[in-house]
Amino acid sequence: MEKIIDIEDRIPTLKERRRRRTNKKFSILLFLFVTTLLIVLYFQSSYSQIQTISLDGAKLVPEQLYIEESTLVTGESMWSFNESKIENLLAQNAWVESVRVKREWLTTVHIQVNEFKQIGYLEDGDFLHIVLENGQIIKTDGQVIPKDGPIFTGFEDEKIRQRMIKELKLLDSEVLTGISQIKYTPTENDAYSILVYMNDGNEVQAIIPSFGEKMNYYPSIVSQLNPEVKGIVDLEVGTFFQPYVDVYNVPVEEEVVENEEDQTP
Protein backbone atom coordinates (compact mmCIF):
# COMPACT_ATOMS: atom_id res chain seq x y z
CA MET A 1 0.00 0.00 0.00
CA GLU A 2 1.40 3.34 -1.05
CA LYS A 3 2.15 5.77 1.84
CA ILE A 4 0.08 8.98 1.83
CA ILE A 5 2.16 12.10 2.37
CA ASP A 6 0.61 15.34 3.58
CA ILE A 7 0.77 17.97 0.90
CA GLU A 8 2.11 20.49 3.48
CA ASP A 9 5.00 18.13 4.22
CA ARG A 10 5.84 18.11 0.56
CA ILE A 11 5.79 21.87 0.27
CA PRO A 12 7.99 23.66 2.85
CA THR A 13 6.27 27.03 2.39
CA LEU A 14 2.88 25.59 3.35
CA LYS A 15 4.37 23.97 6.43
CA GLU A 16 5.95 27.25 7.49
CA ARG A 17 2.66 29.05 6.98
CA ARG A 18 0.87 26.57 9.23
CA ARG A 19 3.50 27.05 11.91
CA ARG A 20 3.05 30.81 11.77
CA ARG A 21 -0.72 30.50 12.11
CA THR A 22 -0.26 28.30 15.16
CA ASN A 23 2.19 30.75 16.73
CA LYS A 24 -0.14 33.66 16.02
CA LYS A 25 -3.06 31.93 17.73
CA PHE A 26 -0.87 31.12 20.69
CA SER A 27 0.35 34.74 20.93
CA ILE A 28 -3.21 36.05 20.87
CA LEU A 29 -4.29 33.63 23.60
CA LEU A 30 -1.23 34.50 25.68
CA PHE A 31 -1.90 38.24 25.26
CA LEU A 32 -5.53 37.84 26.33
CA PHE A 33 -4.50 35.78 29.33
CA VAL A 34 -1.83 38.25 30.47
CA THR A 35 -4.14 41.23 29.91
CA THR A 36 -6.93 39.62 31.91
CA LEU A 37 -4.50 38.76 34.67
CA LEU A 38 -3.17 42.31 34.82
CA ILE A 39 -6.69 43.73 34.93
CA VAL A 40 -7.63 41.43 37.80
CA LEU A 41 -4.45 42.33 39.68
CA TYR A 42 -5.03 46.05 39.02
CA PHE A 43 -8.55 46.06 40.45
CA GLN A 44 -7.36 44.14 43.49
CA SER A 45 -4.46 46.52 44.14
CA SER A 46 -4.38 49.98 45.72
CA TYR A 47 -3.58 51.47 42.32
CA SER A 48 -7.25 51.16 41.36
CA GLN A 49 -8.39 53.09 44.43
CA ILE A 50 -8.77 56.80 45.11
CA GLN A 51 -5.79 57.86 47.17
CA THR A 52 -5.93 61.64 46.68
CA ILE A 53 -8.80 64.09 46.16
CA SER A 54 -7.53 67.54 45.17
CA LEU A 55 -9.65 70.66 44.77
CA ASP A 56 -9.04 74.18 43.45
CA GLY A 57 -11.20 77.30 43.39
CA ALA A 58 -12.83 77.19 46.84
CA LYS A 59 -12.99 80.69 48.32
CA LEU A 60 -16.49 81.11 49.69
CA VAL A 61 -16.74 77.78 51.52
CA PRO A 62 -14.13 75.31 52.84
CA GLU A 63 -12.63 72.77 50.44
CA GLN A 64 -13.74 69.94 52.72
CA LEU A 65 -17.38 70.89 52.20
CA TYR A 66 -17.07 70.32 48.45
CA ILE A 67 -15.29 67.01 48.97
CA GLU A 68 -17.99 65.79 51.35
CA GLU A 69 -20.76 66.84 48.96
CA SER A 70 -19.03 65.08 46.06
CA THR A 71 -19.50 61.71 47.89
CA LEU A 72 -15.96 60.77 46.83
CA VAL A 73 -14.06 58.79 49.46
CA THR A 74 -10.43 57.73 49.48
CA GLY A 75 -10.10 53.97 49.28
CA GLU A 76 -12.99 53.54 46.87
CA SER A 77 -12.50 52.42 43.28
CA MET A 78 -11.31 55.01 40.76
CA TRP A 79 -13.99 53.69 38.42
CA SER A 80 -16.96 53.60 40.79
CA PHE A 81 -18.16 57.13 40.07
CA ASN A 82 -19.44 59.21 37.16
CA GLU A 83 -17.78 62.59 36.67
CA SER A 84 -20.90 64.26 35.24
CA LYS A 85 -23.07 63.20 38.15
CA ILE A 86 -20.63 64.66 40.66
CA GLU A 87 -20.36 67.88 38.63
CA ASN A 88 -24.15 68.23 38.62
CA LEU A 89 -24.27 67.49 42.34
CA LEU A 90 -21.81 70.25 43.25
CA ALA A 91 -23.31 72.70 40.75
CA GLN A 92 -26.56 72.67 42.75
CA ASN A 93 -24.92 75.07 45.22
CA ALA A 94 -26.13 78.61 44.54
CA TRP A 95 -22.60 80.01 44.74
CA VAL A 96 -21.12 77.58 42.17
CA GLU A 97 -20.90 78.78 38.57
CA SER A 98 -19.28 75.66 37.09
CA VAL A 99 -17.49 72.45 38.14
CA ARG A 100 -15.07 70.10 36.41
CA VAL A 101 -14.25 66.65 37.80
CA LYS A 102 -11.58 64.47 36.23
CA ARG A 103 -9.32 61.53 37.02
CA GLU A 104 -5.61 62.30 37.11
CA TRP A 105 -2.80 59.77 36.97
CA LEU A 106 -3.71 56.46 38.57
CA THR A 107 -5.06 57.36 41.99
CA THR A 108 -6.01 61.07 41.99
CA VAL A 109 -9.34 62.78 41.42
CA HIS A 110 -9.20 66.53 40.78
CA ILE A 111 -12.14 68.90 41.26
CA GLN A 112 -12.01 72.37 39.73
CA VAL A 113 -14.66 74.71 41.15
CA ASN A 114 -15.51 78.12 39.69
CA GLU A 115 -17.52 80.17 42.16
CA PHE A 116 -19.56 83.27 41.44
CA LYS A 117 -17.68 86.43 42.38
CA GLN A 118 -18.44 88.01 45.72
CA ILE A 119 -19.70 91.55 45.16
CA GLY A 120 -20.59 92.70 48.67
CA TYR A 121 -22.36 92.02 51.98
CA LEU A 122 -26.01 92.23 52.97
CA GLU A 123 -26.65 93.75 56.38
CA ASP A 124 -29.03 91.63 58.46
CA GLY A 125 -29.20 92.90 62.02
CA ASP A 126 -25.89 92.06 63.66
CA PHE A 127 -24.86 89.78 60.79
CA LEU A 128 -23.41 90.32 57.34
CA HIS A 129 -24.34 87.83 54.64
CA ILE A 130 -22.30 87.43 51.47
CA VAL A 131 -23.81 88.81 48.24
CA LEU A 132 -22.73 87.18 44.97
CA GLU A 133 -22.67 88.69 41.49
CA ASN A 134 -25.61 86.47 40.49
CA GLY A 135 -27.70 88.02 43.28
CA GLN A 136 -27.62 84.98 45.53
CA ILE A 137 -27.13 85.41 49.27
CA ILE A 138 -24.89 83.14 51.32
CA LYS A 139 -25.96 83.31 54.93
CA THR A 140 -23.23 83.26 57.54
CA ASP A 141 -23.48 81.87 61.05
CA GLY A 142 -20.99 84.17 62.71
CA GLN A 143 -19.39 87.58 62.45
CA VAL A 144 -17.94 88.46 59.05
CA ILE A 145 -15.31 91.13 58.51
CA PRO A 146 -16.14 92.95 55.25
CA LYS A 147 -13.17 93.05 52.92
CA ASP A 148 -14.41 92.26 49.41
CA GLY A 149 -17.12 94.69 48.36
CA PRO A 150 -19.48 97.21 50.00
CA ILE A 151 -22.13 96.58 52.64
CA PHE A 152 -25.74 96.63 51.37
CA THR A 153 -28.16 98.22 53.84
CA GLY A 154 -31.93 98.10 53.33
CA PHE A 155 -31.80 95.88 50.22
CA GLU A 156 -34.22 93.20 51.40
CA ASP A 157 -36.21 93.51 48.16
CA GLU A 158 -34.55 91.04 45.75
CA LYS A 159 -35.62 92.97 42.65
CA ILE A 160 -34.01 96.18 43.94
CA ARG A 161 -30.92 94.26 45.05
CA GLN A 162 -30.52 92.63 41.64
CA ARG A 163 -30.81 96.02 39.96
CA MET A 164 -28.12 97.42 42.26
CA ILE A 165 -25.80 94.48 41.54
CA LYS A 166 -26.28 95.01 37.81
CA GLU A 167 -25.04 98.58 38.19
CA LEU A 168 -22.07 97.57 40.35
CA LYS A 169 -20.86 95.27 37.60
CA LEU A 170 -20.42 98.34 35.40
CA LEU A 171 -18.02 100.01 37.81
CA ASP A 172 -14.28 100.19 37.33
CA SER A 173 -12.43 98.15 39.96
CA GLU A 174 -10.86 101.33 41.37
CA VAL A 175 -14.29 102.83 41.99
CA LEU A 176 -15.85 99.65 43.36
CA THR A 177 -13.10 99.11 45.92
CA GLY A 178 -13.56 102.69 47.10
CA ILE A 179 -17.16 102.07 48.20
CA SER A 180 -17.70 101.24 51.86
CA GLN A 181 -21.48 101.01 52.13
CA ILE A 182 -24.59 101.45 49.97
CA LYS A 183 -27.79 102.40 51.74
CA TYR A 184 -31.16 102.06 50.02
CA THR A 185 -33.09 105.29 50.71
CA PRO A 186 -36.30 105.28 48.63
CA THR A 187 -38.47 108.39 48.59
CA GLU A 188 -41.94 109.23 47.35
CA ASN A 189 -40.43 110.80 44.26
CA ASP A 190 -37.88 108.08 43.50
CA ALA A 191 -38.00 104.45 44.57
CA TYR A 192 -34.39 103.93 43.41
CA SER A 193 -32.66 106.51 45.58
CA ILE A 194 -29.45 105.42 47.35
CA LEU A 195 -26.80 106.92 49.61
CA VAL A 196 -23.25 105.68 49.10
CA TYR A 197 -20.52 105.96 51.73
CA MET A 198 -17.02 106.16 50.31
CA ASN A 199 -13.78 105.06 51.96
CA ASP A 200 -12.33 108.53 51.40
CA GLY A 201 -14.91 110.10 53.73
CA ASN A 202 -17.31 111.48 51.13
CA GLU A 203 -20.90 110.44 50.48
CA VAL A 204 -22.60 110.04 47.13
CA GLN A 205 -26.30 110.69 46.56
CA ALA A 206 -27.49 108.80 43.48
CA ILE A 207 -30.22 106.71 41.89
CA ILE A 208 -29.72 103.06 40.97
CA PRO A 209 -30.56 103.09 37.21
CA SER A 210 -27.81 105.58 36.33
CA PHE A 211 -25.36 104.69 39.10
CA GLY A 212 -23.00 102.50 37.07
CA GLU A 213 -22.54 105.08 34.34
CA LYS A 214 -22.19 108.18 36.53
CA MET A 215 -20.19 106.67 39.37
CA ASN A 216 -17.25 105.85 37.10
CA TYR A 217 -16.64 109.62 36.94
CA TYR A 218 -16.18 109.79 40.72
CA PRO A 219 -12.33 109.83 40.68
CA SER A 220 -12.41 112.73 38.19
CA ILE A 221 -14.95 114.61 40.30
CA VAL A 222 -13.07 114.35 43.60
CA SER A 223 -9.80 115.27 41.91
CA GLN A 224 -11.29 118.77 41.43
CA LEU A 225 -12.18 119.14 45.11
CA ASN A 226 -10.19 120.18 48.14
CA PRO A 227 -9.10 116.83 49.69
CA GLU A 228 -9.35 118.43 53.16
CA VAL A 229 -13.06 119.17 52.74
CA LYS A 230 -15.44 116.25 52.78
CA GLY A 231 -19.06 116.33 51.75
CA ILE A 232 -21.79 114.91 49.51
CA VAL A 233 -21.40 114.38 45.77
CA ASP A 234 -24.86 114.50 44.23
CA LEU A 235 -25.26 112.42 41.06
CA GLU A 236 -29.04 112.18 40.99
CA VAL A 237 -29.71 114.73 38.26
CA GLY A 238 -26.61 116.75 37.50
CA THR A 239 -23.32 116.61 39.35
CA PHE A 240 -22.52 118.92 42.25
CA PHE A 241 -20.75 118.88 45.59
CA GLN A 242 -21.86 120.15 49.01
CA PRO A 243 -19.49 120.19 52.00
CA TYR A 244 -20.80 118.57 55.16
CA VAL A 245 -20.59 121.95 56.92
CA ASP A 246 -23.22 123.33 54.53
CA VAL A 247 -25.45 120.29 54.65
CA TYR A 248 -25.41 119.50 58.36
CA ASN A 249 -24.35 122.92 59.71
CA VAL A 250 -21.47 121.35 61.57
CA PRO A 251 -18.54 123.68 62.30
CA VAL A 252 -15.16 122.65 60.93
CA GLU A 253 -11.68 123.97 61.47
CA GLU A 254 -11.20 124.81 57.82
CA GLU A 255 -14.12 126.05 55.83
CA VAL A 256 -12.25 125.83 52.56
CA VAL A 257 -14.06 124.80 49.41
CA GLU A 258 -12.19 124.87 46.14
CA ASN A 259 -15.32 124.71 44.11
CA GLU A 260 -18.71 125.45 45.65
CA GLU A 261 -20.39 125.64 42.26
CA ASP A 262 -21.57 122.64 40.25
CA GLN A 263 -18.79 120.20 39.45
CA THR A 264 -18.80 118.30 36.20
CA PRO A 265 -16.52 115.38 35.24
Side-chain angles (χ1 to χ4, degrees):
M1 184 176 181
E2 186 177 353
K3 183 179 179 181
I4 299 176
I5 300 175
D6 193 326
I7 187 65
E8 291 187 0
D9 291 335
R10 291 183 177 181
I11 307 175
T13 56
L14 293 177
K15 183 177 181 180
E16 178 63 22
R17 190 176 299 172
R18 184 176 65 178
R19 186 183 66 81
R20 289 179 179 176
R21 285 201 303 267
T22 302
N23 289 342
K24 185 177 181 180
K25 290 179 181 179
F26 175 77
S27 298
I28 293 174
L29 291 174
L30 180 61
F31 172 77
L32 293 175
F33 172 77
V34 173
T35 301
T36 303
L37 179 62
L38 291 175
I39 292 175
V40 172
L41 291 175
Y42 168 73
F43 280 104
Q44 290 182 345
S45 70
S46 60
Y47 291 104
S48 67
Q49 300 172 352
I50 301 174
Q51 295 185 14
T52 304
I53 303 174
S54 62
L55 188 142
D56 289 325
K59 297 179 181 178
L60 299 174
V61 297
E63 292 184 2
Q64 189 59 34
L65 177 62
Y66 285 115
I67 294 176
E68 291 175 357
E69 289 186 349
S70 72
T71 69
L72 293 172
V73 180
T74 55
E76 291 188 348
S77 173
M78 283 284 290
W79 310 100
S80 62
F81 64 91
N82 182 283
E83 296 101 320
S84 297
K85 288 184 178 180
I86 295 178
E87 290 170 354
N88 293 333
L89 185 64
L90 295 178
Q92 292 178 8
N93 291 306
W95 57 86
V96 175
E97 184 174 12
S98 63
V99 186
R100 176 73 185 277
V101 178
K102 62 178 180 178
R103 297 176 177 85
E104 290 187 346
W105 305 105
L106 293 175
T107 59
T108 299
V109 179
H110 181 71
I111 303 174
Q112 177 64 51
V113 178
N114 296 316
E115 299 173 333
F116 283 104
K117 181 182 177 182
Q118 178 178 329
I119 202 165
Y121 302 85
L122 180 65
E123 189 175 57
D124 181 14
D126 295 331
F127 296 95
L128 293 177
H129 302 311
I130 296 173
V131 181
L132 303 181
E133 61 180 345
N134 64 342
Q136 293 292 331
I137 305 297
I138 301 179
K139 293 189 175 182
T140 56
D141 297 329
Q143 294 292 334
V144 173
I145 300 176
K147 58 180 181 179
D148 296 317
I151 298 174
F152 292 74
T153 301
F155 284 87
E156 287 76 16
D157 189 313
E158 183 178 358
K159 181 180 178 181
I160 297 296
R161 187 171 65 247
Q162 292 279 11
R163 190 69 178 85
M164 186 72 248
I165 292 173
K166 181 180 179 180
E167 293 299 312
L168 289 178
K169 290 180 180 179
L170 301 177
L171 296 182
D172 298 334
S173 59
E174 174 192 0
V175 177
L176 181 60
T177 55
I179 299 175
S180 173
Q181 183 178 5
I182 304 174
K183 187 176 182 180
Y184 179 49
T185 57
T187 64
E188 293 183 0
N189 297 327
D190 202 321
Y192 288 100
S193 179
I194 56 174
L195 182 61
V196 182
Y197 299 91
M198 305 300 294
N199 291 324
D200 61 9
N202 290 318
E203 297 176 10
V204 176
Q205 187 73 48
I207 55 176
I208 297 176
S210 61
F211 182 73
E213 177 185 359
K214 290 187 175 183
M215 192 61 188
N216 277 326
Y217 292 111
Y218 181 79
S220 175
I221 295 172
V222 295
S223 69
Q224 303 175 49
L225 305 176
N226 185 340
E228 300 298 325
V229 178
K230 303 300 179 182
I232 299 176
V233 177
D234 195 318
L235 301 179
E236 285 188 322
V237 181
T239 302
F240 61 91
F241 174 77
Q242 288 183 291
Y244 288 138
V245 64
D246 293 345
V247 177
Y248 301 116
N249 294 319
V250 177
V252 293
E253 294 182 0
E254 290 187 34
E255 203 171 319
V256 180
V257 182
E258 275 191 2
N259 199 336
E260 292 183 349
E261 299 178 356
D262 291 0
Q263 300 292 329
T264 56

